[in-house]
Amino acid sequence: ELPLRELFEAPTVAALAARIDERYRAKSNLSLPPIAPTDRGEPAPLSFAQERLWFFEQLVPNTDTYHIPVALKLKGTLNVAALERSLLEVIRRHEALRTTFVLVNGQPKQVIGPIPIQVLSIIDLGTLPQGEQDAEVRQLISMEARRPFELARGPLLRVMLVRLSEEENVVLLVMHHIVSDGWSMGILTREF
């Protein structure tokens, strides 16, 4: 219970949280434990959604039904090394992008792997005429989006840079739905 007056006296979320915390402690004589990082030494159980996707993958292996492809067209001069460093930083920050799914004692588990050294594959189509480039890019996107993932081996994120010219590139990201969804893909592309 918090009087309405306190809502106006604490106009920021941080100030209001502090007031709520004070009242909670005063009433219960309890303190909330601090939020601490989880120990990632042992494989973790799957979420219900991950269990469902893992089961479907076992039922129908090598399907592209749960692939999430995104193609981004980049215009302007591209620093390829900076592109790869930014991808590696996003992968470092988001454990899901380093996660694989293995069987441990007959049960599927999540294993968070190390940060990769390299993540970007590069295909240069700069020598092809414009019309052939467009057709080749469409074919590459289609092939990459259908190429199967191995949930136990990973990676479950693939990134391909298609160079069309010094000023025009296409970045293709393909992820398995077990580590991402449409909402996450939006976050990934914004951070990237």
Side-chain angles (χ1 to χ4, degrees):
E1 295 294 324
L2 194 66
L4 184 60
R5 173 181 34 101
E6 292 210 26
L7 181 65
F8 293 101
E9 289 175 353
T12 66
V13 174
L16 185 59
R19 296 248 178 138
I20 291 170
D21 211 26
E22 286 171 21
R23 284 191 169 261
Y24 178 77
R25 275 194 229 120
K27 276 190 171 184
S28 63
N29 285 335
L30 296 175
S31 63
L32 298 174
I35 297 174
T38 302
D39 177 24
R40 299 294 190 206
E42 295 294 318
L46 277 60
S47 70
F48 292 124
Q50 288 172 326
E51 279 184 9
R52 182 177 63 86
L53 291 167
W54 183 87
F55 173 76
F56 287 141
E57 186 71 26
Q58 305 314 299
L59 196 61
V60 184
N62 301 323
T63 180
D64 62 354
T65 304
Y66 299 106
H67 294 188
I68 303 172
V70 172
L72 305 168
K73 193 165 202 173
L74 305 177
K75 293 193 177 215
T77 304
L78 178 64
N79 181 331
V80 177
L83 172 80
E84 182 149 47
R85 281 193 313 270
S86 66
L87 287 166
L88 290 170
E89 176 59 18
V90 170
I91 291 168
R92 183 195 66 78
R93 290 180 37 181
H94 297 283
E95 293 175 336
L97 301 178
R98 303 189 315 268
T99 301
T100 54
F101 299 84
V102 299
L103 278 176
V104 177
N105 298 325
Q107 295 296 315
K109 299 284 183 179
Q110 298 181 61
V111 175
I112 298 165
I115 301 162
I117 296 168
Q118 181 183 1
V119 69
L120 188 65
S121 63
I122 302 173
I123 296 180
D124 192 343
L125 301 180
T127 59
L128 295 178
Q130 174 84 37
E132 289 181 36
Q133 280 183 344
D134 293 343
E136 187 67 23
V137 167
R138 280 192 298 277
Q139 183 179 347
L140 283 169
I141 290 171
S142 177
M143 284 176 22
E144 196 61 21
R146 288 193 319 261
R147 189 163 59 101
F149 285 102
E150 291 184 47
L151 298 184
R153 287 192 52 215
L156 301 180
L157 163 68
R158 293 191 297 257
V159 186
M160 178 186 290
L161 172 65
V162 182
R163 309 246 22 207
L164 304 175
S165 70
E166 286 296 317
E167 298 287 319
E168 196 170 355
N169 297 277
V170 175
V171 176
L172 175 63
L173 300 134
V174 183
M175 295 175 43
H176 196 285
H177 188 40
I178 200 165
V179 296
S180 182
D181 56 21
W183 185 266
S184 312
M185 192 57 101
I187 293 169
L188 173 70
T189 54
R190 276 194 311 277
E191 284 190 17
F192 167 63

